[in-house]
Amino acid sequence: MKDIFDECDFGEFKLKNRIIRTGLWESQNRQHGYLKPEVFLRYERLSKNNVGLIITELISLYPHDKFSDYSHSINYPLFMKDFKYLTDICHESDVPVFAQVAFANCNVNGKQMIGVNDLTLEDIRQIQSDYIIAARSLSFAGFDGIQLNIGNNYFLSKVIDAKENTRSDKYGGSLANRLRMIIELIQAIKKITPLHVNCRFNVNPRDEEESLEIARLLEKYGADSLQLTKPSSPQFFSKDCKEKNILFDITDRISGEVDVPVILGGGLSDMGGINDLINKSEISFVSMQRPFVYNPTFLSEWKKNGEGASLCSKCNNCYWKKTSTCHMTAEE
């Protein structure tokens, strides 16, 4: 039987368990982006307490993006120094760490708030170049992988979405064309860096065939692992799927039909439920965010006790207030 504390392979990495810590927002930055000591302490506590893999909070590709006040920026002057220290902390505990990179507003080549259908070829090449430069910086900073967040409500999710993307050139129309910009990016990153490339993309449980085809195409053209998500906020998982994670069936199917690791996320928070899930499906990896905000050491408690459930109330204040700290524990 599978157990969340099994040592297991995740692509080229050997993980201590099947739990992936995925990040969201990070507001504990000093002026001009420098990381506060609290950030390093958080990563130290995570990496020393039995997490399998860490994916950072959002690192914004552009400094004046919609979420730049609540995220790290790839462009601040001491990025390399600060994040090399952060990745060293994780590696001291033999925990791989990926950098989540995305942007919401497209402001390139002197233009503001460009829509998907208004992108010129020059704009597309600029975005790809910016990602490639960022990937090189991440590699120099010691990251093991990059998570391309092409899901949720970030800009590249709109490039994939047929409702948003009505282009008539080679970057629009068929699903393969709508993925072309991302596929070219994946191939370029893998050509010039040693980074593991993870793609976090939206799935539609009502259109499993398209979701499956996205997974197949990403795998075919170089993605090393996948994380499935939805455009909605974390609150979606709390209110609308109390009995069953709505991503379960499609993640189970994709996990059985691709040969790269697939991560299920969204609202999971108890050891017994996760073990039951992974033993009744093809799913091998589960991600969490809010339980780690409430208590970054809870996995050590689960491992010691052989059972456990997060005490996170899923109030979502860490999401709505765009911090990586728990407002409930701060009030206690």
Side-chain angles (χ1 to χ4, degrees):
M1 292 182 64
K2 291 189 287 187
D3 184 85
I4 66 170
F5 290 107
D6 292 335
E7 288 192 357
C8 50
D9 294 326
F10 186 95
E12 66 270 40
F13 305 107
K14 178 72 73 175
L15 304 189
K16 298 177 182 179
N17 61 60
R18 302 178 185 277
I19 303 298
I20 316 299
R21 181 274 195 172
T22 189
L24 189 61
W25 309 111
E26 177 62 89
S27 61
Q28 288 179 298
N29 299 333
R30 291 173 173 161
Q31 189 177 13
H32 307 304
Y34 308 121
L35 303 188
K36 290 182 179 179
E38 291 89 341
V39 177
F40 300 117
L41 176 61
R42 179 179 304 118
Y43 278 83
E44 182 177 21
R45 294 178 73 193
L46 285 166
S47 58
K48 287 184 175 180
N49 282 279
N50 290 290
V51 69
L53 166 69
I54 295 174
I55 301 175
T56 68
E57 288 89 352
L58 175 67
I59 297 175
S60 182
L61 191 63
Y62 297 117
H64 301 297
D65 192 23
K66 177 179 180 181
F67 299 119
S68 60
D69 289 341
Y70 317 107
S71 64
H72 304 302
S73 172
I74 195 75
N75 297 289
Y76 81 83
L78 290 184
F79 179 91
M80 203 82 66
K81 177 178 179 293
D82 276 1
F83 278 89
K84 183 63 171 68
Y85 184 52
L86 186 148
T87 58
D88 283 347
I89 288 172
C90 299
H91 293 153
E92 285 177 6
S93 298
D94 297 321
V95 176
V97 55
F98 295 177
Q100 177 190 178
V101 181
F103 68 100
N105 303 132
C106 188
N107 305 315
V108 296
N109 292 326
K111 296 178 283 187
Q112 302 296 312
M113 303 296 289
I114 310 171
V116 173
N117 300 316
D118 296 322
L119 289 171
T120 65
L121 182 59
E122 181 184 11
D123 296 332
I124 291 172
R125 293 292 177 260
Q126 184 63 58
I127 293 168
Q128 291 172 325
S129 296
D130 292 338
Y131 265 105
I132 291 165
I133 292 169
R136 289 179 64 89
S137 296
L138 296 172
S139 180
F140 293 145
F143 281 99
D144 302 289
I146 181 172
Q147 181 181 77
L148 300 177
N149 194 334
I150 57 177
N152 301 124
N153 285 307
Y154 293 110
F155 185 81
L156 292 185
S157 70
K158 299 175 183 178
V159 174
I160 302 171
D161 189 342
K163 294 180 180 179
E164 296 275 356
N165 184 343
T166 59
R167 300 174 67 98
S168 58
D169 63 1
K170 66 179 183 178
Y171 291 97
S174 69
L175 178 59
N177 278 356
R178 285 181 272 125
L179 280 168
R180 184 185 301 274
M181 180 178 172
I182 295 154
I183 287 169
E184 291 173 345
L185 176 58
I186 293 170
Q187 293 177 321
I189 290 173
K190 292 183 68 67
K191 183 176 181 179
I192 66 171
T193 78
L195 294 174
H196 178 113
V197 177
N198 171 274
C199 290
R200 177 172 174 166
F201 70 96
N202 295 332
V203 297
N204 182 355
R206 290 181 289 275
D207 190 354
E208 289 194 3
E209 295 307 318
E210 178 174 279
S211 299
L212 180 59
E213 186 60 19
I214 291 172
R216 286 171 173 160
L217 286 168
L218 292 173
E219 177 193 26
K220 178 179 179 180
Y221 290 104
D224 298 300
S225 61
L226 307 171
Q227 181 171 0
L228 309 190
T229 188
K230 288 280 291 181
S232 310
S233 75
Q235 189 169 354
F236 174 88
F237 294 103
S238 302
K239 290 188 174 181
D240 294 344
C241 41
K242 294 182 182 297
E243 295 184 1
K244 183 179 181 181
N245 186 319
I246 65 165
L247 297 181
F248 173 81
D249 289 337
I250 182 59
T251 306
D252 185 22
R253 184 177 176 192
I254 290 174
S255 297
E257 298 198 30
V258 299
D259 292 324
V260 296
V262 180
I263 305 168
L264 169 69
L268 302 165
S269 60
D270 73 278
M271 182 174 173
I274 295 171
N275 272 334
D276 187 57
L277 181 149
I278 62 177
N279 279 291
K280 291 182 178 179
S281 71
E282 298 288 337
I283 298 168
S284 295
F285 301 97
V286 171
S287 72
M288 298 185 199
Q289 186 262 333
R290 290 169 297 174
F292 285 111
V293 175
Y294 182 85
N295 176 11
T297 70
F298 74 90
L299 284 178
S300 287
E301 298 168 12
W302 286 14
K303 186 173 183 179
K304 178 181 178 180
N305 298 331
E307 61 180 2
S310 172
L311 297 178
C312 170
S313 66
K314 300 179 182 177
C315 67
N316 290 302
N317 279 317
C318 59
Y319 175 80
W320 297 116
K321 296 184 179 182
K322 296 180 171 56
T323 69
S324 50
T325 56
C326 180
H327 297 270
M328 297 299 291
T329 54
E331 294 173 359
E332 294 175 355

